[in-house]
């Protein structure tokens, strides 16, 4: 691939083991716990990549390493664009009293002129559909609007790569729709998106790449259709063996036909 914007080579991250209960964990060896174990991958400019995995699979840690917030124990990370993060809890990223003030925070700290800051804020408001709420109290925005505001702050800093960590957490249907419309706009604009989620039924159709982490290892890397077409496990109705093994709910599993089907067990 000649348009790679992120390249990870043999990324490993381990921590010393002090708890005897962890010593016999399959991710522990030689006195270390391997939270990420020899992960290599490349992401192309303009890709929309979904990284899925159960809690503790290493998704958020991998995000932090890509963004430069954490250093790997071994391996190399190369990026060719500015990276922005939208955290699971957008309230943690809201610093201004209004969307205008909040979006301007990053560009102002970059030392840009007032004219450039104003232009970037206006563009980010329009890109995220928040122009009509630019002077609203930022804390009063809905969950979907807050995530769009966090993304607007990233866009105002001219990020080409945007990482969203569990973007649908604690969000109702209108909020999910707002966020997905933003994703579609960013994809159309040529941004590179990395979406960390286990809620595949809400966004898998957006991705041209699907990666699964399981216990610190990369266990699947392909497109969504390839993942969904894996052969079902004999004897388990509607289940896909790798999905259930990896701790992920199959988004096409057991279409509901009656009330009793609306229960994940």
């Amino acid at each position: 691939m000649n348009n790679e914007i992120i390249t990870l080579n043999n990324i490993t991250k381990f921590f010393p083991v002090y708890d005897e209960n962890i010593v016999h964990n399959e991710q522990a060896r030689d006195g270390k716990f391997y939270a990420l174990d020899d992960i290599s991958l490349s992401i192309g400019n303009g890709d929309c990549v979904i990284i899925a995995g159960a809690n503790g699979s290493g998704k958020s840690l991998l995000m932090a390493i890509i963004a430069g917030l954490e250093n790997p124990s071994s391996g190399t990370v190369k990026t060719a664009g500015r990276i922005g993060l939208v955290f699971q809890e957008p309230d943690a990223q809201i610093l201004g009293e209004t969307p205008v003030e909040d979006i301007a925070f990053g560009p102002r700290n970059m030392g840009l002129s007032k004219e450039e800051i104003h232009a970037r804020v206006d563009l980010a408001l329009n890109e995220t559909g928040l122009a009509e709420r630019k002077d609203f109290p930022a804390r009063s925005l809905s969950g979907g609007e807050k995530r769009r505001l966090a993304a607007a702050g990233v866009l105002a800093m001219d990020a080409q790569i945007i990482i969203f960590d569990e973007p649908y957490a604690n969000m109702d249907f209108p909020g999910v729709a707002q966020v997905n419309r933003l994703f579609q706009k960013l994809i159309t604009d040529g941004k590179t998106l990395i979406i960390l989620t286990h809620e595949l039924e809400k966004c898998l159709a957006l991705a041209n790449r699907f990666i699964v982490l399981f216990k610190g290892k990369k266990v699947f890397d392909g497109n969504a259709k390839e993942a969904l077409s894996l052969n079902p496990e004999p004897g388990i109705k509607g289940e896909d063996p790798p999905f259930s093994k990896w701790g992920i709910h199959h988004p096409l599993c057991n279409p509901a036909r009656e009330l009793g089907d609306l229960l994940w067990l």
Side-chain angles (χ1 to χ4, degrees), residues 84-86 151 154-155 159-164 186 191-194:
L85 298 177
V86 178
V154 166
L155 290 172
Q160 174 59 30
I161 305 162
I162 308 177
I163 304 174
F164 292 85
L186 295 174
K191 298 295 184 182
T192 301
L193 302 189
I194 302 175

Side-chain angles (χ1 to χ4, degrees), residues 89-236:
E89 297 296 336
D91 283 303
Q93 289 182 257
I94 296 176
L95 301 174
E97 294 295 321
T98 66
V100 166
E101 292 179 10
D102 189 70
I103 297 168
F105 183 84
R108 186 176 295 117
N109 281 300
M110 293 169 66
L112 301 179
S113 67
K114 289 183 179 180
E115 293 76 13
E116 179 66 17
I117 293 171
H118 181 75
R120 290 195 180 202
V121 169
D122 281 350
L123 180 61
L125 285 168
N126 289 321
E127 287 285 295
T128 55
L130 289 172
E132 293 183 357
R133 295 187 175 261
K134 63 180 182 179
D135 296 316
F136 276 51
R139 299 288 176 182
S140 72
L141 299 178
S142 69
E145 289 168 342
K146 286 179 179 178
R147 281 199 172 80
R148 284 189 282 152
L149 176 56
V154 166
L155 290 172
M157 297 178 68
D158 197 28
Q160 174 59 30
I161 305 162
I162 308 177
I163 304 174
F164 292 85
D165 188 11
E166 297 293 352
Y168 307 112
N170 305 315
M171 191 170 291
D172 59 11
F173 176 77
V176 171
Q178 287 178 352
V179 171
N180 280 345
R181 284 194 292 269
L182 173 61
F183 288 163
Q184 290 176 318
K185 180 70 167 61
L186 295 174
I187 292 167
T188 300
D189 291 344
K191 298 295 184 182
T192 301
L193 302 189
I194 302 175
I195 303 170
L196 311 183
T197 185
H198 63 277
E199 300 181 79
L200 302 178
E201 68 279 3
K202 296 176 180 176
C203 61
L204 193 55
L206 294 171
N208 67 320
R209 180 93 168 275
F210 179 51
I211 296 170
V212 180
L213 300 184
F214 180 65
K215 295 186 177 181
K217 291 182 177 290
K218 185 180 72 171
V219 293
F220 182 86
D221 187 349
N223 64 50
K225 287 186 177 180
E226 290 171 345
L228 295 177
S229 65
L230 295 173
N231 292 328
E233 183 176 357
I236 301 182

Side-chain angles (χ1 to χ4, degrees), residues 38-64:
D38 195 30
I39 293 178
S40 296
L41 59 90
S42 297
I43 294 173
N45 189 23
D47 280 351
C48 177
V49 182
I50 289 178
I51 301 179
N55 290 341
S57 61
K59 301 190 305 293
S60 295
L61 181 56
L62 184 64
M63 173 195 76

